[in-house]
Amino acid sequence: MLEKNLSIVEEKVKQACIRAGRDRSEVTLVAVSKTKPISMIEKVYDCGIRDFGENKVQELIEKQDVMAKDIKWHMLGHLQTNKIKYISEFIHCIHSADSLKVIEALEKEGAKKGVILHILLEVNVAMEDSKYGFELSEVQPIIDSFSKYPHLTLEGLMTVAPFVANPEENRAHFRNLNKLFVDNIEKKIDNVNMSVLSMGMSNDYEVAIEEGATCIRVGTEIFGRRNYN
Ligand SMILES: *Cc1c(COP(=O)(O)O)cnc(C)c1O
């Protein structure tokens, strides 16, 4: 089942890239394994996937501990600042830098461990009260201030778009975020390497790819529905 699901996702990614005139290699597929058991993650790993996403620190460290060490782990969920220390030495990318408080705590942890943390700014594109992240209008001054964070590399921007019935409803949000992303690619700001645009989930990743996503985060369509009970 997992192999079949993955091949369906892969085909849709490929077709979206063709429609957008993009090369498949421009888009990284992150398999979002939250709530799913090691046995399933191993099967997806055996199909060749090396990028996995989780949204809880405890679950992430338990899985990282037992899984193959060539996996690139992506942290997708809101971070409590006192838990950053548990993931700082292995995490590949933190997509959820969603406040100045979190950014400053990440910098402090990087300095303490002598590591550079790779992070994305989470943008709440639709200004939903229920979601973490910066408003689009707040982001540019934060990017411009990154020279003060020598233990961080700002790799790009991330969003969790609204849950909508028709993914077309999110196209304008993706386009707006892509514009901000592209505007910053050419700028030379210390500690900024604007190269990752993380947007698109099971419901809307094809539209996100058409609008420039370089990283999509797909859970349900690979692993099946999650059971939170
Ligand atoms: C759960 C989650 C996903 C995956 O969502 P699906 O709809 O299952 O594909 C992607 N990104 C974030 C931040 C998530 O929390």
Side-chain angles (χ1 to χ4, degrees):
M1 177 198 89
L2 287 168
E3 205 173 341
K4 174 137 183 289
N5 290 352
L6 259 179
S7 71
I8 291 169
V9 171
E10 184 52 43
E11 184 58 26
K12 286 159 86 174
V13 170
K14 217 169 88 189
Q15 293 304 325
C17 285
I18 289 170
R19 285 196 298 281
R22 304 180 61 199
D23 196 274
R24 170 66 187 89
S25 65
E26 294 172 34
V27 181
T28 301
L29 171 61
V30 175
V32 180
S33 49
K34 64 193 188 197
T35 78
K36 299 296 178 182
I38 296 292
S39 57
M40 288 180 90
I41 303 177
E42 279 172 343
K43 287 206 178 89
V44 170
Y45 177 92
D46 288 340
C47 293
I49 298 291
R50 292 294 177 272
D51 291 86
F52 289 89
E54 290 284 337
N55 71 339
K56 293 208 161 65
V57 166
Q58 184 62 32
E59 191 176 340
L60 175 58
I61 58 180
E62 284 170 11
K63 289 173 174 174
Q64 189 273 339
D65 195 39
V66 297
M67 290 291 306
K69 295 303 170 235
D70 64 341
I71 288 179
K72 297 171 188 159
W73 291 100
H74 298 251
M75 177 62 191
L76 309 178
H78 176 66
L79 272 170
Q80 287 169 270
T81 54
N82 61 336
K83 293 192 177 162
I84 294 169
K85 59 178 179 282
Y86 301 117
I87 64 170
S88 56
E89 280 165 288
F90 70 83
I91 198 75
H92 175 70
C93 181
I94 294 169
H95 293 232
S96 45
D98 56 17
S99 69
L100 279 177
K101 184 180 166 211
V102 167
I103 292 170
E104 273 155 21
L106 289 165
E107 166 62 26
K108 204 169 152 198
E109 172 66 11
K112 191 170 165 195
K113 297 266 171 73
V115 295
I116 291 179
L117 296 168
H118 299 265
I119 73 167
L120 309 178
L121 295 181
E122 181 170 353
V123 184
N124 183 358
V125 285
M127 295 195 256
E128 293 170 281
D129 288 339
S130 59
K131 291 207 172 119
Y132 289 104
F134 299 99
E135 291 186 11
L136 203 57
S137 63
E138 298 176 305
V139 175
Q140 190 61 57
I142 295 169
I143 298 173
D144 293 336
S145 75
F146 252 71
S147 61
K148 64 181 178 191
Y149 303 122
H151 297 91
L152 302 179
T153 300
L154 177 60
E155 299 283 352
L157 306 174
M158 175 271 210
T159 194
V160 179
F163 187 74
V164 290
N166 178 356
E168 286 297 330
E169 293 174 53
N170 283 333
R171 187 179 293 277
H173 293 311
F174 292 148
R175 191 168 291 176
N176 291 338
L177 195 63
N178 184 47
K179 184 173 184 312
L180 183 63
F181 174 70
V182 170
D183 283 348
N184 281 282
I185 290 175
E186 298 295 326
K187 285 193 192 169
K188 298 264 178 293
I189 304 168
D190 282 346
N191 312 319
V192 179
N193 171 35
M194 200 49 72
S195 57
V196 179
L197 182 57
S198 170
M199 58 186 195
M201 304 168 38
S202 289
N203 203 33
D204 54 18
Y205 65 86
E206 294 169 272
V207 174
I209 290 169
E210 289 168 11
E211 297 300 333
T214 73
C215 177
I216 57 172
R217 311 176 309 265
V218 180
T220 309
E221 215 174 286
I222 296 172
F223 290 98
R225 287 181 57 187
R226 288 177 291 274
N227 183 350
Y228 286 102
N229 300 324

